[in-house]
Amino acid sequence: MAARPVVSVFGLNGSKLEATIALPSVFTAPIRPDLVQFVHKNMAKNRRQAYAPKQQAGEETSAESWGTGRAVARIPRVSGSGTHRAGQAAFGNMTRGGRMFAPNKVWRKWHVRTNSNQKRYATASAVAATGVPALVSGRGHRISEIEEVPLVVSAEVESLNKTKEAIALLKAVKAFDDVAKVSSSRSIRAGRGKMRNRRHRQRRGPLVVYAQDSGITHAFRNLPGVELVNVTRLNLLQLAPGGHLGRFVIWTQPAFEALNAVFGSQTEASEQKKGYTLPIPVISNPDVTRLIASSEIQAVVRPAGAPFTKRPFVQKKNPLRNSQVLVRLNPYAQVLRRAEILGQNKRTTKKSHKKSASKKFLDILKAD
């Protein structure tokens, strides 16, 4: 969210005016990429047109199954004789010239309804994201030379009528690089879309938001990638194309001042949306990484332990051959093993005594 308390206003020649505008409350709304992507996906479906194959396609022949007993599959077969087509399988999706499996129907549920509160939340998040230079730049817009984001121009811009005047304004505020980027990105679409009135593809340029159309739509409409919208008709599909936050927006001064009336604030209701107030963020500072690294939290947190990485794969060992694994499974096995070793030592000691006694007996016999 944008954190500057006031925003500068730029004139037609690109110079800062003395007047400044307080930052509207909508720029402090929580930025929710998950909600924006969800709402954008649903809203984009509402522009689809129904498509389906012909209802009788693949079944426009007099085919009937031969039944059982003829040593052939029971798929319907074309009736008649005297041609190659006669006797060929038909109708099934596995047959030549048959219908497709589960053909699309024009009465499919093409459109999706989205809750009004979710759409308003997503729109507020998209507007707030337009005031964060990192998000705008990360989306690919050329804003390295622009002095401030959000960019607000004077009310005189709404009276422009000529395209050359619009180009001069964009060059004065150093925003024309974004339009040039769009012009150089225009290319022919890959695939069948080039035959279906979608021949070219290009990037998105700046979005111009105005309050009163006194000719501004005529001035900017012929610039590639530039879109215009009334401040009371802000659309998520334009504020976050593709569901990606950070559209570069050029506000006129009347439109920027009208944002508080359109969205309201966290405490005051909107004038345009009955009873609507902006969502309150759960935490005032959403930068969790910065919070954890702060000196206040690091002063009371416990020191990090030794790094321990669990082995992803542990080899299975035979407890009958590996004594350590056997003891881990049966601790009493160590006692039994110790008793077994002691028993063996006793038997060995007894045998050695017997041998020494017999040897001594033999020595006595030999001596006699």
Side-chain angles (χ1 to χ4, degrees), residues 270-310:
S270 168
E271 297 179 10
Q272 180 181 344
K273 303 169 175 53
K274 184 178 179 180
Y276 177 74
T277 56
L278 286 175
I280 300 174
V282 178
I283 54 178
S284 58
N285 185 6
D287 193 350
V288 180
T289 305
R290 184 178 177 184
L291 288 175
I292 295 176
S294 63
S295 58
E296 293 82 3
I297 293 181
Q298 290 296 322
V300 297
V301 74
R302 289 182 298 177
F308 174 76
T309 303
K310 187 177 180 181

Side-chain angles (χ1 to χ4, degrees), residues 300-338:
V300 297
V301 74
R302 289 182 298 177
F308 174 76
T309 303
K310 187 177 180 181
R311 293 175 62 187
F313 172 74
V314 179
Q315 182 182 7
K316 186 180 182 303
K317 296 180 180 179
N318 188 358
L320 298 178
R321 295 184 177 181
N322 192 313
S323 60
Q324 293 182 352
V325 178
L326 178 63
V327 171
R328 194 183 308 137
L329 295 175
N330 181 18
Y332 191 68
Q334 191 172 9
V335 179
L336 294 176
R337 179 59 180 164
R338 186 178 293 110

Side-chain angles (χ1 to χ4, degrees), residues 156-225:
E156 301 173 357
V157 176
E158 296 183 351
S159 301
L160 299 181
N161 290 304
K162 297 292 185 178
T163 303
K164 62 181 179 181
E165 297 174 349
I167 293 176
L169 170 68
L170 293 175
K171 289 182 178 179
V173 296
K174 301 178 181 178
F176 190 74
D177 290 346
D178 203 45
V179 180
K181 172 207 67 175
V182 176
S183 180
S184 61
S185 68
R186 185 177 174 87
S187 61
I188 296 178
R189 181 184 300 271
R192 288 288 180 177
K194 67 166 69 73
M195 304 178 186
R196 296 171 182 166
N197 297 326
R198 302 188 295 269
R199 189 165 187 81
H200 295 93
R201 297 179 70 248
Q202 65 182 19
R203 303 284 80 80
R204 294 291 184 103
L207 174 67
V208 180
V209 182
Y210 61 90
Q212 185 70 31
D213 182 12
S214 300
I216 187 173
T217 55
H218 289 181
F220 284 91
R221 66 182 179 180
N222 203 30
L223 296 176

Side-chain angles (χ1 to χ4, degrees), residues 13 21 24 134 145 167 221 235 242 247 262 294 320 332:
N13 57 359
I21 308 174
E145 297 183 2
I167 293 176
R221 66 182 179 180
N235 187 2
R247 180 77 184 266
V262 174
S294 63
L320 298 178
Y332 191 68

Side-chain angles (χ1 to χ4, degrees), residues 24 36 62 107 146 154 194 240 245 358:
V36 170
S62 58
W107 56 79
I146 293 175
S154 62
K194 67 166 69 73
L245 294 167
S358 60

Side-chain angles (χ1 to χ4, degrees), residues 206-268:
L207 174 67
V208 180
V209 182
Y210 61 90
Q212 185 70 31
D213 182 12
S214 300
I216 187 173
T217 55
H218 289 181
F220 284 91
R221 66 182 179 180
N222 203 30
L223 296 176
V226 179
E227 297 177 348
L228 295 101
V229 65
N230 192 293
V231 68
T232 60
R233 297 287 185 269
L234 289 174
N235 187 2
L236 183 66
L237 299 177
Q238 291 180 318
L239 289 170
H244 305 298
L245 294 167
R247 180 77 184 266
F248 176 36
V249 181
I250 301 175
W251 307 84
T252 64
Q253 184 175 352
F256 200 71
E257 292 172 345
L259 284 175
N260 280 331
V262 174
F263 289 98
S265 65
Q266 284 83 359
T267 56
E268 297 180 3

